[in-house]
Amino acid sequence: MMMTNAIPKLEQVEPAWEIAHLFPAQGRWSEEDYLALSTNHLIEFAHGYIEVLSMPSIPHQRIVRALFKLLEQFILEHTLGEVLFAPVRVQLWPGKYREPDIVFIGKGYGDRYREQFWIGADLVIEVISPDDRNRDLIQKRQEYAQAGIPEYWLVDPEHQTLTVLSLRNERYVVHGAFSSSEQATSPLLEGFTIAVSTIFTSGKV
């Protein structure tokens, strides 16, 4: 009799739950556990809990690419520091990590570089996610201000705007809410301007 490896029916297939037991339970993750993760998923960490973020869309990635290329060119030309795009971990304070879409840190801050993460940042950029706008507009705004990050950019694909926030007295104030017909500027990056429309049209076919 010929033996075959029977493939279970779809309704009988279950996830490999045992794998989950190899990791700490929610609420019991340490920073060491979190930093030891090796994955291409965006995962953020807050005081024992991890959050696996959804995969970004192609339009989202086009916006990130356009912004990153313009920023990198300006920063390299003026030898201002280093800019990276996600995934890159940023420690806001002990026990709290975010992974901004784009993050910049100025030169001369070698003590803030680690092999697996940066301690704080000088500028962070988030492209607002349609699934949870409050996370970027409210929650991260409060957290980045608490962490003392001097500048926070919010890119809104739905309304095609770029809002530049500047830290004043531990709170963000609006430097400019720029529409797609305007040129955005940055208090931190003196001389840098960007036509907002370009970040929403770059790369389209």
Side-chain angles (χ1 to χ4, degrees), residues 83-96:
V83 60
L84 293 176
F85 53 86
V88 56
R89 297 177 176 123
V90 175
Q91 184 191 64
L92 302 185
W93 55 82
K96 181 67 176 183

Side-chain angles (χ1 to χ4, degrees), residues 16 63 92 107 113 125 135 140 150 152 159 187 202:
I63 291 170
L92 302 185
K107 66 179 181 179
Y113 291 87
I125 301 175
R135 183 172 62 239
K140 289 186 179 181
Y152 177 29
H159 300 104
S202 178

Side-chain angles (χ1 to χ4, degrees), residues 8-90:
K9 295 180 180 179
L10 183 61
E11 62 270 20
Q12 296 174 329
V13 175
E14 291 187 3
W17 298 113
E18 293 81 2
I19 295 294
H21 296 299
L22 299 178
F23 298 95
Q26 285 285 45
R28 297 183 179 179
W29 284 76
S30 67
E31 288 192 48
E32 291 75 17
D33 294 328
Y34 167 70
L35 293 172
L37 284 173
S38 179
T39 175
N40 61 353
H41 287 278
L42 296 178
I43 301 178
E44 297 180 328
F45 174 75
H47 308 293
Y49 293 82
I50 62 169
E51 180 183 3
V52 181
L53 305 183
S54 58
M55 184 67 67
S57 67
I58 296 298
H60 176 284
Q61 294 300 81
R62 285 176 177 156
I63 291 170
V64 171
R65 179 183 61 188
L67 271 170
F68 175 79
K69 289 170 66 176
L70 292 167
L71 277 169
E72 183 184 45
Q73 180 180 359
F74 182 85
I75 288 165
L76 290 178
E77 285 179 354
H78 295 82
T79 321
L80 297 177
E82 185 174 10
V83 60
L84 293 176
F85 53 86
V88 56
R89 297 177 176 123
V90 175

Side-chain angles (χ1 to χ4, degrees), residues 80 82 88-92 97 103-124 144 147-151 188:
L80 297 177
E82 185 174 10
V88 56
R89 297 177 176 123
V90 175
Q91 184 191 64
L92 302 185
Y97 291 78
V103 56
F104 163 73
I105 194 168
K107 66 179 181 179
Y109 295 98
D111 59 334
R112 293 163 65 184
Y113 291 87
R114 297 293 186 272
E115 184 68 24
Q116 296 173 305
F117 61 94
W118 281 356
I119 299 175
D122 293 314
L123 166 65
V124 291
Y144 292 152
I149 295 173
E151 199 160 297
L188 181 67

